[in-house]
Each structure stands twice: as structure tokens, then as C-alpha cells.
Amino acid sequence: MRALAALLIAACHGGAPPAMKATVAIVDVTVVPMDRERELAHQTVLVDGDHIVAVGLVGDVRVAAGVASVDGRGHWLIPGLYDMHVHLNEANDALLYVANGVTTVRNMWGGPQQLGWREQARRNDPAWLGPSIITAGPIVDGDPPVWPGSKVVTTPEAAVAEVDAEKAAGYDFVKVYENLTPPVYDAIAAEAKRIGMRFAGHVPQSIDVAHAMASGQASIEHLTGYVRGTTQESQLPSLAAAARSAGTANTPTLIVMQRFAAMDNPAPLMAQRENRYVSPQTRSTWDPSTDFRLTGSTAAEFAAERTRNVLRQHLVKLLSDGGAIVFAGTDAPNPFVVPGFALHEELAMLVAAGLTPYQALRAATAVPAEWLGRRATITPGAPADLVLLDADPLRDIAATRRRSGVLLRGIWFPQPALDAKLEALATAYEHPTDPLASAPPLAIDPPSITATYTMTMSGHPIGRERLAVHALPSGGRVIVAQGYMQPASTLTTARIELDAQGRETTFILDGKGMAPAATDDLFDGNLLATMIPFADRAAHGTREIHGRSADDGSAVTYTFEPAGPRTWRFTVTSKLGTAPGTYAVDADGLPTRVTLQIGGELAITRD
């Protein structure tokens, strides 16, 4: 009783509250909690692990000794931002998102690699300095598909099988696309509903937007279906009302539409400073003269697209005013849509369309989080994904560009440290190192034939490889290789042993041995050396050679046709699609030059 009385007396006389267990404290900050439009001054936010455990006035929340404290005076704290339409194809782009306060992304075309990154984020793997990920599987399209690598589905039965397969693989939703037929689209909708899996994406050309809403399409990307060639301003209010009634979410991606409408004069876009943080491989695909989506575009067509962009802005305002769900999304890394950086442009464009800064911020925080069954508020129990700003975002949405740091899954990253990482990445792209220069010699018995190669994408150097081939007395061969793609500090290594019939008896990639599922199986990887066994079979008269990806075991097929002395044309078909190329060898059968058309020309040329 005396102890209880002492506690009560201490409370009445303003005794200090007990310290809570915490790992990070942000002290004396203005909190923008995003549960409603308000700001809370002089707050301390306590984080334990990857969740918020307390939010309260400075005098009411005690910070224990040893807790990492961040000075919040003169700053505003917001939840981590969501970009609800990205294509996270390169691991290095993950840094760009975090450095811009983007802590969650919805990836609109995924594969095993994106599933792996998603799991790294879920377990807070220190090796993954990147956002949390929600991902689709491959694009599901009709015949012909818009994009190589899409899953082409032409019957309702195949549609059901594809939805089930993506669910089994662990994808979060199915992405539908432009050329699906009505029966196939309806089969996708029905099966997705039956198994409890969302489907989202474009409204196919053969589908009316009202039908898409009624079918349960979870989100509509780029306002496809709403704004088509014949859409009139007078139609927009009824479309917005229908979206509200159906509960259909909308990701306008105004920034990517603006970029494409400006591609008739790309010079200002090419001067963006943030372009330097994007890999040369990706930047090489930004040339409007080689983008199939812009082939033959006229000045009148660019002007018409700018007119449609005005309609899109009006529709965004109507959707928001009518209570429909609006997400912030960018479609990075489409041409000049730089991951992370572009989300702040999208927020500014939402405000320019008529949303308030609070509404725009909700479109990148609380709204998508609630839709995904998550939380993006600054309240106890919410995830510890937070962004510390130097200015008030409810006064000016441009404040999201002025950051002091990012808390990612409970780990504090000061902005100067993130900016230094960005600069290091840009330097690695601009002045690439050559890991081969300090690599150990290739481990192979003499005598052997050796060669070194340079890889370029649309003329830009992106990597190197060296390999050696040793002929065995049995008639078989041993191939060893080392290679890298920029920026890289480590090498990919391979050792392949072939018998006299060209069958792989040993395949080791980065120290991991792989056993063929069938006698004639070959493995294909990210090194030129792994292609040699395929080409050897072509040289002996086999035109179609089947194999498997060394990454995930998926099917790979090469088809070769002679094109001249020691030269072949080929196509390679994998889960990523079909791409054509050329393959030339010297008198010893070693490659001299290989090309592959994948949005630009990938060339591997012997030095």
C-alpha cells in the first residue's frame, strides 16, 4: 500500500513517467500523424524494433538512457511514403526509393527476383537497403502481347490456370493488360474472386471501364479506360461517381503521362540531375527514337496527348472530390521517371490537379496502406517507417523533398548518409571499376584458350567477362569464367564441364553446383560462358536447344539459324519473353561477338 501511495503522490506532483523499452526516439518533433488532417507539436515518438510504441508530448514520454535519439526540433515527421506503381527491375534502384523517403512500393511486373527482395524486406535483412514490396507476377496479356515476356493467355481455361499459378507462386496480385479478350478477362476476374486474389492493371482495349469496375478490378492504372481517344470532359463526372460506387482504386501516374507527352523535346529531361543515379542500362532505353511506343509519333499526336493529360488532371480532381480511392504512383523507371525522385513530382502534380497537400500526402501514405491492410499513420503499433522533413508538408507539398532522414523498418538513416550512398552509386556508374583487374587467375588446367569480352548496352559499357576453355582427352571440355555487370564489386563465376557429346556433367555458378533434371539439360546464366554449350550444339546441326535458367530453373529455349561462315542468327525464349540476336565464333569455336535485342542492343565483343 505504501508503494502504491508513493506512486500516486509522485503522479500528482508531476513525477517523471517510467521509460518504455525502445530502440529509437525522435524527440520534440511536429508529428503529422495522417489519421486525420492535423499536426501535433512537441512530440516524442518511440520506436522499438520495427514498430512505433509511443507517441506523446515531450514531457509525457520518457526516453531511457542508451536509446538512439534523433533531434526533432524544427522538423516535421510523416509516415513513410508509398509509390503504388513501379517496376523494380534493378536492385540498385531500391536505394533511390529509400533515399527519397519511399519505404513501400507496389511492383507491377514481378518474377522470382522480386519475390526474393520482398522476403528480404519482410525479415528486415540488413543486406536489403530498399523498400517493402507488394508485387504482381508477370503481366497477363492477350495475343499479341504489348510487352515481350508477358504471359500470353487466349482462353478462359488458360486464364484460370494462370491466376492459380500466380497465387501458388506467392504473388500478391495479378496484373492484367491491354490485349486481353473479354472472355479471358472475365475468367481472370471470376477466378481471382474465387481464390481471394486481387487483379489490377490496365483496362484492356476490349473492355469498357464500367465493366472493369463491375468485374472487381481492384485498381486501374494510368486512368486507362477512363481517358481514351473519344472521351469527352462531360463524361468524367459519371465515371468518377462509378469508381466511388464500385470501390475501384485509381493510380493516375500523372508524371509518366507528362513525360511521354514531352518526348518530342527530350533535351530538358535529359538534363535532370537525378538521371545520374539510374543505371546506364536503363538510361539507354530512354531514347525516344528507339522506343516502340513512340515510333512514328507526330507533333499532332504529342499535342493530343498533352490535351488528354489535362483531362486526366480534371478526372483526378473529380475522383478525389467524389470520395474515390486515389493512389500516388509513378511508373518508374520509364523514360526520365527516376525512381524515388519522381514520387515527389507526382505529389506536386496531384496538388496541381486540385488536391490539397493533405489529400496528396494521404494518396502516398494512409490511403494505399489501408487498402493493403496495413497502417501508415504515426500512432502506437504502426510500422516504424517514417520520414523526417525540414518543412511543413501540409503548407507546401514540396516539403517532402526536404528531408533530414528516413526511418526504415525501425532503422534510422540520416539524409546525408543516404545522399552519400547516392553519390557513390552515381560515381560507380560514371567511373566504373573493373573487378577483373584484381581477380585471381582463372582456375583451369593448361593448355587452354582464353578470351576477354566487353559488354555494352546501346553502346554504353556495362560489364566485362573473361573465360577459358580446356579440351579434355576424352573429347569433352571444361569452361571457366568470371564476369560482372556495373556497378559491381564482386564477380560472378562459373565452371562448366562437358562430356564428348556436349552434355553438362558439372555446372557450378558462384560456388553452387546444379544437377540437370534430364540428360540433355543445359543451364543458362548471366555469363556468356553459359551460352557456349547451346551454341556448340547449333554448330553440330541442332537448331532448337532446350535448357533451364540457372537462376530459378525456368525453361529457356535457343533457336539458331546459320547466317554465314561461323555466324548464326538466334532467338532466345524465356519467362522474360523472346529476343533475337546474333552469334559469331572464331576458328576455335570461341565467341567473337554476340548481340541481343532487349530494348536496346546488348553486345558482347571480344577484346
Side-chain angles (χ1 to χ4, degrees):
M1 289 293 291
R2 283 196 301 270
L4 177 59
L7 286 172
L8 290 172
I9 292 169
C12 291
H13 287 82
M20 297 182 66
K21 180 176 180 290
T23 50
V24 178
I26 303 175
V27 181
D28 200 2
V29 69
T30 298
V31 169
V32 186
M34 297 308 295
D35 54 355
R36 59 184 185 274
E37 189 168 1
R38 59 175 179 151
E39 294 183 346
L40 306 174
H42 304 297
Q43 301 288 298
T44 291
V45 177
L46 289 185
V47 168
D48 186 30
D50 59 1
H51 280 76
I52 298 168
V53 294
V55 181
L57 286 167
V58 171
D60 295 339
V61 177
R62 183 179 166 197
V63 181
V67 173
S69 293
V70 177
D71 186 355
R73 290 174 297 179
H75 298 289
W76 285 256
L77 192 67
I78 64 171
L81 300 171
Y82 282 60
D83 189 331
M84 288 294 281
H85 191 122
V86 310
H87 294 274
L88 186 52
N89 301 324
E90 298 183 24
N92 288 327
D93 286 351
L95 170 64
L96 278 64
Y97 288 109
V98 174
N100 279 278
V102 180
T103 58
T104 304
V105 297
R106 185 173 61 142
N107 181 63
M108 301 304 292
W109 188 348
Q113 181 169 248
Q114 286 75 17
L115 290 175
W117 293 336
R118 185 188 67 184
E119 295 313 306
Q120 282 186 275
R122 284 180 175 175
R123 64 176 183 264
N124 213 355
D125 184 342
W128 177 250
L129 179 50
S132 297
I133 299 170
I134 300 95
T135 187
I139 287 174
V140 181
D141 204 355
D143 191 13
V146 175
W147 290 99
S150 301
K151 288 286 187 178
V152 175
V153 179
T154 57
T155 68
E157 294 76 16
V160 170
E162 179 60 26
V163 173
D164 292 348
E166 294 197 17
K167 177 77 168 181
Y171 295 109
D172 299 300
F173 64 100
V174 175
K175 183 178 179 182
V176 294
Y177 218 67
E178 292 286 330
N179 290 334
L180 291 171
T181 63
V184 170
Y185 179 89
D186 290 345
I188 290 171
E191 183 64 6
K193 181 179 180 180
R194 188 188 72 81
I195 66 174
M197 188 178 192
R198 279 174 164 159
F199 73 102
H202 292 212
V203 175
Q205 291 291 329
S206 65
I207 301 296
D208 182 77
V209 69
H211 181 78
M213 294 176 188
S215 298
Q217 182 162 330
S219 73
I220 293 175
E221 308 305 301
H222 320 299
L223 306 179
T224 52
Y226 292 105
V227 180
R228 286 177 169 159
T230 59
T231 303
Q232 301 297 315
E233 182 94 24
S234 60
Q235 299 172 270
L236 298 183
S238 62
L239 293 173
R244 168 68 178 85
S245 297
T248 307
N250 303 273
T251 318
T253 62
L254 297 175
I255 183 62
V256 75
M257 297 305 182
Q258 189 266 357
R259 289 290 193 264
F260 272 104
M263 291 288 271
D264 56 341
N265 180 29
L269 300 175
M270 295 172 69
Q272 293 180 147
R273 185 178 185 277
E274 59 265 31
N275 293 349
R276 61 199 292 265
Y277 304 123
V278 178
S279 73
Q281 300 97 295
T282 296
R283 274 182 278 150
S284 71
T285 68
W286 289 0
D287 183 350
S289 68
T290 61
D291 192 320
F292 74 90
R293 293 167 292 184
L294 298 171
T295 301
S297 295
T298 65
E301 288 169 327
F302 281 110
E305 190 60 27
R306 288 190 278 270
T307 298
R308 283 191 288 273
N309 282 345
V310 174
L311 284 178
R312 291 184 177 103
Q313 285 189 304
H314 292 172
L315 178 56
V316 168
K317 172 65 169 168
L318 289 167
L319 288 166
S320 179
D321 287 350
I325 299 169
V326 176
F327 295 149
T330 63
D331 210 4
N334 263 283
F336 307 104
V337 183
V338 178
F341 292 86
L343 186 67
H344 303 288
E345 296 183 83
E346 183 72 15
L347 293 175
M349 294 185 77
L350 291 175
V351 171
L355 276 64
T356 67
Y358 174 71
Q359 289 172 325
L361 198 56
R362 270 184 56 80
T365 54
V367 171
E370 291 168 6
W371 190 78
L372 291 166
R374 303 181 176 205
R375 292 170 66 183
T377 57
I378 304 180
T379 53
D385 290 329
L386 304 169
V387 185
L388 190 63
L389 304 179
D390 299 338
D392 185 351
L394 301 190
R395 287 184 177 272
D396 183 355
I397 197 61
T400 61
R401 303 172 190 249
R402 299 173 56 192
R403 296 173 300 279
S404 285
V406 177
L407 196 71
L408 177 69
R409 296 184 290 275
I411 301 173
W412 172 248
F413 295 93
Q415 194 65 40
L418 292 171
D419 291 343
K421 290 179 181 293
L422 285 177
E423 290 307 309
L425 181 62
T427 299
Y429 287 144
E430 293 160 5
H431 306 287
T433 58
D434 184 359
L436 285 180
S438 57
L442 291 168
I444 194 166
D445 295 330
S448 61
I449 305 169
T450 62
T452 303
Y453 300 85
T454 297
M455 288 176 276
T456 61
M457 174 62 81
S458 298
H460 301 280
I462 62 169
R464 298 187 71 218
E465 180 176 341
R466 66 181 176 193
L467 59 84
V469 180
H470 169 65
L472 298 170
S474 64
R477 293 196 297 169
V478 177
I479 305 170
V480 296
Q482 302 164 330
Y484 69 90
M485 294 185 70
Q486 298 168 354
S489 57
T490 59
L491 294 172
T492 296
T493 62
R495 180 179 179 88
I496 305 167
E497 297 180 10
L498 304 163
D499 65 16
Q501 287 73 45
R503 295 176 298 214
E504 288 179 349
T505 59
T506 299
F507 187 95
I508 303 172
L509 188 67
D510 288 333
K512 179 183 177 183
M514 302 179 191
T519 303
D520 286 336
D521 259 5
L522 297 175
F523 286 105
D524 189 38
N526 291 324
L527 289 173
L528 173 61
T530 66
M531 186 180 176
I532 292 175
F534 289 87
D536 281 352
R537 292 190 183 181
H540 289 87
T542 304
R543 294 292 175 255
E544 186 171 284
I545 303 104
H546 300 281
R548 291 193 292 143
S549 166
D551 290 332
D552 60 10
S554 58
V556 177
T557 301
Y558 282 89
T559 303
F560 288 86
E561 292 292 338
R566 298 198 294 269
T567 304
W568 291 264
R569 289 185 297 271
F570 72 89
T571 59
V572 56
T573 301
S574 69
K575 67 179 185 183
L576 299 177
T578 299
T582 61
Y583 188 95
V585 301
D586 62 15
D588 295 313
L590 224 56
T592 56
R593 180 174 168 83
V594 179
T595 67
L596 192 64
Q597 303 300 321
I598 49 174
E601 183 178 79
L602 172 66
I604 306 172
T605 306
R606 190 168 177 174
D607 294 351

